[in-house]
Amino acid sequence: MNEKKFSVSGMTCDGCVQSIKTKLELEDDIVSAEVSLNDEYLLLSSEKNYEESEINELLKSVGSYKVSEDYNKPNIIKIISKYLSTYKPILITLIFVFLLSFLSYIAFDGNGDSFMRFLMGYFFLIFSFLKFQDISQFAYSFSNYDPITKTFYKFGLVYPFIELSLGIFFILGVFLLFSNVLTLIILLPQTYGIFMKLRRKEMINCACLGTSFSVPLSNLTIIENLSMCLMAIFFIVAII
């Protein structure tokens, strides 16, 4: 019995997985074909040793799939590409936050402090907008990892309004001490909740983009939150 692992490209859904599996398992000398959509691999158990060219030839009739024997080889380009694809919605949103902050900084002839203030303001404004698409569903998802919402569910329902208010305050430069203290109060507990979920390796979606996108929790969200907390602490120290 031969067992071989191949990487697979070209799959987009569970239908692709089933097509590959069904096609290969019709071969007399193939015992089983285990296919993973998320990890993009094919684990083939067969009575003969199949080469990648033979597998590709078999799959020609079911779709534009390509297998290769480099699954276990480290491929930094593939790793980066998969990461960018998974977290593209968050990364694009953060790019817009930085772009708007930079434009506001230039337009109002600001300094380093004002750039950070705009950064925090646009961060809260844009992310609150995404949460407003479906507040009730956001609150449900948020309660999976935010300790405050898990204890007081209604906090999740008002959370988008809190972010909206903070965004306005930071951009206008008003109530800054209150806004920065509130930033710490809302972000530190959820950051801890995210850390604990990741530590237990629980696979749940991040609610930071509301329900518009399905993005798994990751260290990227922790970095976002801690960056906001560090800027809040900077402002609190400067004001006091």
Side-chain angles (χ1 to χ4, degrees):
M1 179 71 66
N2 291 286
E3 192 170 85
K4 211 168 185 179
K5 204 168 191 177
F6 300 87
S7 63
V8 186
S9 61
M11 296 188 296
T12 59
C13 63
D14 290 331
C16 298
V17 171
Q18 195 57 46
S19 295
I20 294 173
K21 180 178 176 63
T22 301
K23 175 61 179 177
L24 294 179
E25 289 183 347
L26 286 174
E27 297 297 309
D28 293 337
D29 47 14
I30 292 180
V31 178
S32 67
E34 178 186 331
V35 186
S36 172
L37 175 62
N38 291 332
D39 295 322
E40 299 181 325
Y41 75 74
L42 160 66
L43 181 60
L44 192 71
S45 297
S46 59
E47 294 176 358
K48 77 171 222 179
N49 185 24
Y50 275 91
E51 300 297 328
E52 63 179 64
S53 58
E54 296 175 282
I55 302 297
N56 284 322
E57 187 64 31
L58 289 173
L59 295 180
K60 271 185 178 180
S61 61
V62 294
S64 301
Y65 310 117
K66 183 173 178 60
V67 304
S68 62
E69 297 182 32
D70 64 352
Y71 182 79
N72 293 315
K73 299 177 183 177
N75 188 329
I76 188 65
I77 295 177
K78 185 176 180 179
I79 293 172
I80 293 175
S81 176
K82 186 174 182 179
Y83 184 88
L84 292 177
S85 175
T86 301
Y87 298 104
K88 181 170 66 174
I90 292 181
L91 295 172
I92 290 176
T93 304
L94 291 175
I95 288 172
F96 271 90
V97 168
F98 274 95
L99 178 61
L100 290 171
S101 302
F102 179 73
L103 292 176
S104 298
Y105 166 79
I106 296 297
F108 294 101
D109 193 25
N111 52 38
D113 293 0
S114 63
F115 177 76
M116 286 194 295
R117 181 167 56 80
F118 286 131
L119 198 62
M120 296 176 78
Y122 285 118
F123 178 92
F124 282 125
L125 273 183
I126 293 178
F127 279 89
S128 68
F129 163 75
L130 293 169
K131 294 176 179 68
F132 274 114
Q133 305 302 308
D134 190 338
I135 294 178
S136 60
Q137 188 58 43
F138 157 75
Y140 174 77
S141 298
F142 197 43
S143 66
N144 287 326
Y145 60 85
D146 179 61
I148 301 177
T149 305
K150 189 173 183 178
T151 306
F152 306 102
Y153 184 75
K154 288 185 178 179
F155 176 76
L157 298 175
V158 302
Y159 188 85
F161 296 93
I162 295 174
E163 282 198 333
L164 175 62
S165 301
L166 287 173
I168 294 171
F169 293 159
F170 277 117
I171 290 175
L172 294 180
V174 299
F175 308 122
L176 289 182
L177 179 58
F178 167 78
S179 298
N180 283 288
V181 171
L182 185 56
T183 295
L184 293 177
I185 292 174
I186 66 172
L187 291 185
L188 286 176
Q190 66 175 269
T191 304
Y192 172 77
I194 294 169
F195 172 78
M196 294 305 296
K197 290 292 182 180
L198 293 177
R199 185 179 180 184
R200 291 192 289 264
K201 297 182 180 181
E202 295 184 32
M203 296 297 294
I204 59 175
N205 284 338
C206 178
C208 60
L209 295 175
T211 57
S212 302
F213 303 96
S214 179
V215 179
L217 274 181
S218 70
N219 290 324
L220 179 59
T221 309
I222 291 180
I223 293 172
E224 291 174 29
N225 288 358
L226 290 181
S227 298
M228 294 290 286
C229 289
L230 288 174
M231 287 189 285
I233 291 172
F234 171 84
F235 279 118
I236 292 171
V237 172
I239 293 171
I240 295 177

